[in-house]
Amino acid sequence: MRYLWPDYVYTPRGWQRDLLVALDEEGRIAGLQPRFAADGAVFPLPEGAVVEPLPGKALLPGFVNVHSHVFQRALRGLAQRPVSGHDTFWSWREAMYAEAQRLDPERLYTLARATYREMLAAGYTTVGEFHYVHHQPDGRPYPSPNLMAEALLQAARDAGIRLVILLAAYARNDFGQPALREQRRFCDPSVAAYLGRVEALRALGAAVGLAPHSVRAVPEDWLRAIAAYSRRERLPLHIHADEQPAEIESCLAACGCRPLELLARCEVLGPLTTVVHATHADQRELALLASSRTCVCLCPTTEGDLGDGIPPYRDFLAQGIPLAIGSDSNTRLDPFEELRWAEYTARLRYGERRVLVAGAAASPGPYLLACGCEHGAAALGVEGGRLEPGRLADLVAIDLEHPMLQGWTTENLLDSLFFGASAEVVRAVWVAGKQVYVR
Ligand SMILES: [Zn+2]
């Protein structure tokens, strides 16, 4: 048995000092036990036990990046240039489509491996990769129809990150509109062909989730079939919705209801489902999310970058809707910054402080950590997100001596991390008990 021995461990009961984290052969946490007895004596360990001391470090669960389009990392910086006289989400999408056209399996692999390493260095141990660039630029499948997804699987293995591949279904440009030329490589000819690719990826042993791209890109019969498959196979289902007002308007015009109402009608909402963004959800839609126990994934740095708007954070909390985070376009990779911007944009929306909290008397730190870890793990169907026996040993060591954290106490350490620090305080990262990053 191996044991990690940091100064502090963040457990479901809060910070604990001098706890040993036992790691088993399967990459899970076998147990948490005190290093010392009450009289100060060292607890005896089994013969052959290896203890790795981590002085000056605190262990957190690894962060879960629920929503990534890894290739969009190539747009960092580039996409700030003017595309038109009035740049919006839609003009940004043109730049993104141009980048998507340039991809081939090799370029995708190289970009993904580097970006997944960047994620690990920032403290993300799991990524949900919402992958939609499937086929050749003219739409013809590669000789192996999942070649691009296989490039991502290989990149994740080589980087050492835990990957859940959210295989996107795409059929058209918008309600009643065929796919644009630059969308052809995203599209499958039928929902049966799409589900066939899902099955082929699962046969490779990959962790797979369903991902109908959006109500714009996928017709109702596809939504129903994919949701039924998700329920039958107990697989997570992720979908973009309500990111931009134009999507809501076209949904109302085509279907007579809003996107989340359409998803409810097609039985897409539920505890296995995560809606990405929900920025412009109205009260009826929020009630549908709450009653179906659907998760919402927020991507505050991307939503800020694209000018999407500020989501209705207070309503999410009031209705008990679980929130997770994603780096989405990968314009920034830093879970502390991502979560800080969730709280900061909420403050800007409501003109008050302390919005994302677990209770009236709480500070934001513990709730932000739950969004970054536990809720994200649940959204991807991964048994991580908390440091407790039986969970995956996906861990992040924080440098307690970093100048950004000077003055910390166990009462304020999480708040110091989220409001005063960046991913620079991450010193080491483990995935399934294996160290995959050290600074
Ligand atoms: Zn997205």
Side-chain angles (χ1 to χ4, degrees):
M1 191 77 83
R2 288 165 56 221
Y3 297 86
L4 301 180
W5 177 25
D7 287 1
Y8 286 90
V9 178
Y10 193 78
T11 74
R13 291 184 295 128
W15 290 110
Q16 308 277 311
R17 194 179 163 87
D18 284 322
L19 217 51
L20 291 172
V21 180
L23 308 176
D24 71 14
E25 299 291 320
E26 270 79 58
R28 289 179 184 266
I29 298 169
L32 299 170
Q33 64 182 84
R35 180 65 169 138
F36 302 108
D39 62 2
V42 173
F43 266 120
L45 294 174
E47 204 175 326
V50 178
V51 177
E52 187 183 336
L54 297 166
K57 309 293 184 301
L59 277 190
L60 288 175
F63 287 93
V64 179
N65 184 358
V66 169
H67 189 73
S68 158
H69 306 289
V70 73
F71 79 91
Q72 293 177 13
R73 170 66 180 81
L75 293 170
R76 189 181 291 180
L78 204 71
Q80 304 301 330
R81 291 192 204 152
V83 179
S84 68
H86 175 66
D87 281 329
T88 63
F89 171 89
W90 304 102
S91 59
W92 169 86
R93 196 177 76 158
E94 287 169 31
M96 183 270 281
Y97 281 176
E99 184 54 41
Q101 288 309 297
R102 276 194 285 277
L103 288 177
D104 59 31
E106 203 174 319
R107 182 174 163 82
L108 181 62
Y109 167 81
T110 306
L111 198 53
R113 190 184 56 181
T115 307
Y116 292 154
R117 285 180 176 155
E118 191 184 345
M119 287 182 195
L120 284 169
Y124 288 120
T125 51
T126 296
V127 57
E129 179 63 38
F130 198 113
H131 168 60
Y132 56 87
V133 187
H134 303 304
H135 307 299
Q136 299 183 59
D138 62 4
R140 280 181 304 131
Y142 285 103
S144 165
N146 281 322
L147 198 58
M148 294 290 260
E150 288 163 22
L152 293 171
L153 293 172
Q154 190 61 45
R157 269 195 296 274
D158 292 348
I161 202 165
R162 187 183 300 284
L163 175 79
V164 177
I165 191 144
L166 302 165
L167 198 75
Y170 216 105
R172 63 186 186 188
N173 177 44
D174 208 334
F175 298 94
Q177 289 178 23
L180 305 172
R181 231 166 59 92
E182 56 270 37
Q183 292 167 333
R184 285 186 304 197
R185 67 184 315 191
F186 312 160
C187 294
D188 285 303
S190 66
V191 70
Y194 162 74
L195 290 173
R197 289 199 304 113
V198 169
E199 299 255 298
L201 261 191
R202 294 178 68 197
L204 297 177
V208 180
L210 290 311
H213 180 275
S214 55
V215 295
R216 281 176 284 127
V218 175
E220 285 186 45
D221 56 331
W222 285 44
L223 288 174
R224 287 180 195 280
I226 295 168
Y229 185 91
S230 156
R231 281 192 299 277
R232 195 179 77 223
E233 301 293 321
R234 307 291 305 158
L235 292 181
L237 185 158
H238 290 224
I239 184 164
H240 298 103
D242 282 357
E243 181 178 10
Q244 285 285 326
E247 176 189 79
I248 297 169
E249 286 153 25
S250 54
C251 189
L252 279 166
C255 307
C257 64
R258 296 171 63 94
L260 296 179
E261 294 173 317
L262 180 61
L263 293 182
R265 191 204 285 174
C266 296
E267 299 180 305
V268 173
L269 302 182
L272 289 166
T273 295
T274 295
V275 166
V276 183
H277 303 302
T279 315
H280 301 281
D282 74 2
Q283 289 301 326
R284 283 235 298 277
E285 292 181 290
L286 289 161
L288 290 169
L289 291 173
S291 63
S292 60
R293 295 189 292 133
T294 300
C295 177
V296 168
C297 177
L298 304 161
C299 311
T301 60
T302 294
E303 288 153 10
D305 183 43
L306 299 180
D308 288 338
I310 303 176
Y313 288 102
R314 201 155 59 187
D315 298 297
F316 293 145
L317 254 74
Q319 305 228 25
I321 297 164
L323 302 179
I325 54 155
S327 64
D328 197 353
S329 65
N330 297 309
T331 190
R332 280 290 290 141
L333 283 168
D334 183 332
F336 303 100
E337 182 175 339
E338 204 67 60
L339 289 156
R340 175 162 64 246
W341 272 97
E343 171 66 14
Y344 275 0
T345 48
R347 291 180 187 189
L348 290 166
R349 176 171 174 142
Y350 300 112
E352 62 182 55
R353 306 183 71 228
R354 260 186 345 101
V355 180
L356 297 175
V357 289
S363 69
Y367 187 73
L368 294 180
L369 187 75
C371 296
C373 300
E374 195 179 343
H375 301 176
L380 290 175
V382 168
E383 292 172 308
R386 281 158 74 106
L387 298 192
E388 61 185 14
R391 298 255 180 171
L392 294 164
D394 294 356
L395 313 165
V396 170
I398 301 298
D399 178 5
L400 292 171
E401 286 155 16
H402 196 286
M404 287 180 188
L405 294 175
Q406 202 186 0
W408 69 272
T409 65
T410 48
E411 284 72 39
N412 68 23
L413 182 52
L414 288 179
D415 293 312
S416 296
L417 281 166
F418 289 117
F419 295 95
S422 70
E424 276 183 52
V425 300
V426 171
R427 284 297 298 272
V429 176
W430 294 258
V431 173
K434 183 179 166 214
Q435 193 171 70
V436 288
Y437 172 77
V438 65
R439 182 176 355 226

